Amino acid sequence: MYWEEEVWGDSGQDSCGSWWECRAITYNLKGKYRYLTALVGGTTKKGANETYPGYWWVVADGVTAKGKFMLNRPPVPISVPVSGFHAVELRIRTETNGLDPVLAFAEAHVS
């Protein structure tokens, strides 16, 4: 399975809490895959010369992997074991104070 999309879905208020600049989407893996790999990053439309912290989570059947990246910098490669998991949620957020960020799990795929 291969995804080439920005994470613009919304899994509900529980996924992002009160964070305004947060995106979350859930996929059903049906327990068929071993790893999720992706490039995690983002940019801002305003203030593109500045860096801002961003955070990612991969939540698979309640088990969480997480990390940090910097907006307006090269994306961070991730590899997360998802063997036997059925539902996987990709969650990403930033603290850019209204700078209109684009957040992505680029080239995300499971194998």
Side-chain angles (χ1 to χ4, degrees):
M1 185 182 302
Y2 185 81
W3 302 300
E4 177 101 26
E5 62 184 80
E6 292 177 50
V7 181
W8 287 107
D10 187 1
S11 296
Q13 189 67 15
D14 291 341
S15 296
C16 290
S18 62
W19 292 100
W20 173 255
E21 293 172 336
C22 176
R23 310 287 185 267
I25 192 164
T26 302
Y27 293 97
N28 186 353
L29 302 181
K30 301 179 183 178
K32 297 182 190 180
Y33 302 97
R34 295 179 53 202
Y35 287 94
L36 171 111
T37 58
L39 297 172
V40 180
T43 61
T44 56
K45 294 178 183 175
K46 302 176 192 172
N49 294 326
E50 302 292 325
T51 60
Y52 303 93
Y55 307 92
W56 62 267
W57 294 262
V58 175
V59 182
D61 291 348
V63 178
T64 303
K66 59 185 176 178
K68 183 177 179 180
F69 64 95
M70 297 302 289
L71 275 78
N72 301 322
R73 292 292 183 256
V76 175
I78 66 166
S79 179
V80 178
V82 294
S83 185
F85 294 136
H86 292 273
V88 64
E89 180 184 60
L90 308 181
R91 193 180 310 161
I92 190 168
R93 78 166 174 86
T94 186
E95 301 168 359
T96 59
N97 299 323
L99 293 179
D100 213 8
V102 174
L103 306 172
F105 281 84
E107 300 179 10
H109 68 279
V110 289
S111 57

